[in-house]
Amino acid sequence: MIEFPNLFSGISIDISRRAFSLFGLEVYWYGIIITAAVVLGIAYGVKLADRAGILSDDVFEIAFWGVLCGVIGARTYYVIFSPSKMSLATAIFGIRDGGLAVYGGLIGAVLGGFIAARIKRVKFLPLSDLIGLGFLIGHCVGRWGNFFNQEAYGAATAGNLPWGMTGDKIMSDLALIGVDPFALVHPCFLYESIWCLLGFISLHLYAKKLRSFDGEVFLLYLVWYGSGRAWIESLRADSLMAGGVRVSQVLAVLSAVFALGLFLYLKTTLPKKNYVMYKDTEESRQLINENKTRIKLEKEKEKAKDSLRKTKRELTDPFDDTVDN
């Protein structure tokens, strides 16, 4: 049960972590939503691969390894900074009980994608622009998994915010730490989802008209997400801590400041060096054209095979009513 009393008085939203059961295995909404977020992010990158001068097949293959390394990174980050000590078996196999951290996932996904790109000899900087926009889609959609889990919420609000929320699990959590269980809390998952949606729309439009060097959109992604996450993390009641420091907040601030400084430097210096983006190079154009030619030939070959099969059927049984005339 979740409520927004100041927004919808007397209305409760009945939710369950479990979506359905399959062969005795409980399937959770969190997993479904995270999967949908990943698929949408990858689909976006594959769809707009040509814009970065990269083959869509390469984007898909690299994304596979990025996702795998992202899950490993997200779990490792959580285990390292989790306040509760875990056995090795729990750390590896207890993922269904929760415990994935966004920044660990980002680090793992970027490293995995970088290594995969090097192996496949794909230019990583133009690829990173697609990665940044894909991440924003993933954050925007994926945060709604926290809604179903009643997690990633903030500290108690002043009580008069229209969107202050509460829920049965939230009330239980607040009571355990000695806070008024009837207090309304900040829906931090919602803040981050909206922030990332605005970021995606803004950077998608920016990439179409204003991108002037490879990796630019990824740097702006770090600035946008980092600045928003730094503020949102300050409201969180369940931050991962290192001593008295919110680890993700520190990473958010450092990544945003570094990315902003690098963006400003490259934005002002590269035009003076007659920088050419990868998509405008002869190498990229040749790669894209060869791929389009290959796809065209494959379609023509398949069309010829279909025509041959139809001709064979007609010769075998010229009175077959299933043959199209």
Side-chain angles (χ1 to χ4, degrees):
M1 176 272 294
I2 286 182
E3 295 181 355
F4 294 86
N6 293 338
L7 199 60
F8 306 108
S9 179
I11 298 178
S12 297
I13 304 172
D14 292 323
I15 63 171
S16 172
R17 293 180 59 208
R18 298 173 179 83
F20 57 87
S21 179
L22 184 64
F23 303 117
L25 181 67
E26 297 289 348
V27 179
Y28 295 96
W29 280 114
Y30 183 87
I32 293 173
I33 292 172
I34 292 296
T35 300
V38 170
V39 170
L40 288 173
I42 293 175
Y44 175 87
V46 170
K47 179 70 175 178
L48 297 184
D50 285 3
R51 186 180 292 179
I54 302 173
L55 300 183
S56 58
D57 287 350
D58 288 338
V59 172
F60 183 82
E61 291 181 29
I62 293 170
F64 171 81
W65 293 108
V67 169
L68 179 61
C69 293
V71 172
I72 295 173
R75 183 60 174 175
T76 302
Y77 185 103
Y78 178 84
V79 170
I80 291 174
F81 295 108
S82 175
S84 58
K85 301 302 178 183
M86 302 181 191
S87 66
L88 181 60
T90 301
I92 296 174
F93 302 108
I95 194 170
R96 278 180 51 80
D97 297 324
L100 296 174
V102 171
Y103 264 111
L106 297 182
I107 294 170
V110 171
L111 286 177
F114 177 76
I115 293 171
R118 290 296 299 269
I119 293 173
K120 289 186 64 63
R121 298 182 180 178
V122 173
K123 300 294 184 182
F124 182 74
L125 285 179
L127 175 66
S128 71
D129 288 332
L130 298 175
I131 291 174
L133 287 165
F135 279 167
L136 285 172
I137 294 174
H139 300 324
C140 176
V141 176
R143 275 304 179 190
W144 285 91
N146 300 128
F147 172 75
F148 283 90
N149 280 358
Q150 294 190 48
E151 61 188 8
Y153 56 84
T157 71
N160 56 356
L161 283 180
W163 51 83
M165 67 180 290
T166 186
D168 48 4
K169 180 179 179 298
I170 294 173
M171 294 173 70
S172 176
D173 291 346
L174 293 179
L176 285 175
I177 60 175
V179 176
D180 178 10
F182 298 102
L184 303 183
V185 299
H186 288 280
C188 290
F189 77 91
L190 179 61
Y191 297 165
E192 188 166 327
S193 180
I194 293 174
W195 181 254
C196 290
L197 175 61
L198 294 174
F200 169 74
I201 294 172
S202 301
L203 293 186
H204 172 78
L205 296 175
Y206 183 95
K208 290 177 66 176
K209 301 292 185 180
L210 301 174
R211 186 171 73 102
S212 59
F213 64 89
D214 295 315
E216 179 177 1
V217 176
F218 184 74
L219 289 176
L220 290 176
Y221 154 73
L222 291 176
V223 174
W224 184 275
Y225 182 70
S227 57
R229 180 64 186 269
W231 171 70
I232 294 168
E233 195 70 24
S234 68
L235 301 174
R236 290 275 295 269
D238 57 351
S239 297
L240 295 176
M241 309 291 287
V245 178
R246 298 173 186 265
V247 182
S248 293
Q249 187 176 40
V250 172
L251 275 177
V253 172
L254 291 178
S255 62
V257 171
F258 173 78
L260 179 60
L262 186 56
F263 165 76
L264 294 174
Y265 171 76
L266 294 175
K267 195 69 172 177
T268 55
T269 59
L270 288 182
K272 301 174 184 178
K273 300 179 180 180
N274 298 318
Y275 179 86
V276 178
M277 288 193 290
Y278 179 67
K279 70 180 182 64
D280 297 322
T281 63
E282 186 61 33
E283 177 185 336
S284 176
R285 289 188 182 127
Q286 182 178 349
L287 188 68
I288 297 296
N289 289 334
E290 287 178 353
N291 187 59
K292 287 180 178 178
T293 301
R294 178 183 62 81
I295 293 174
K296 183 179 179 181
L297 289 174
E298 287 178 353
K299 288 182 178 178
E300 290 177 350
K301 189 182 297 183
E302 190 61 33
K303 187 176 180 180
K305 288 181 179 179
D306 289 341
S307 179
L308 181 60
R309 283 193 290 265
K310 181 178 178 181
T311 302
K312 285 182 177 180
R313 287 199 303 268
E314 291 174 341
L315 292 174
T316 301
D317 189 353
F319 301 105
D320 189 350
D321 292 337
T322 63
V323 176
D324 295 331
N325 293 317

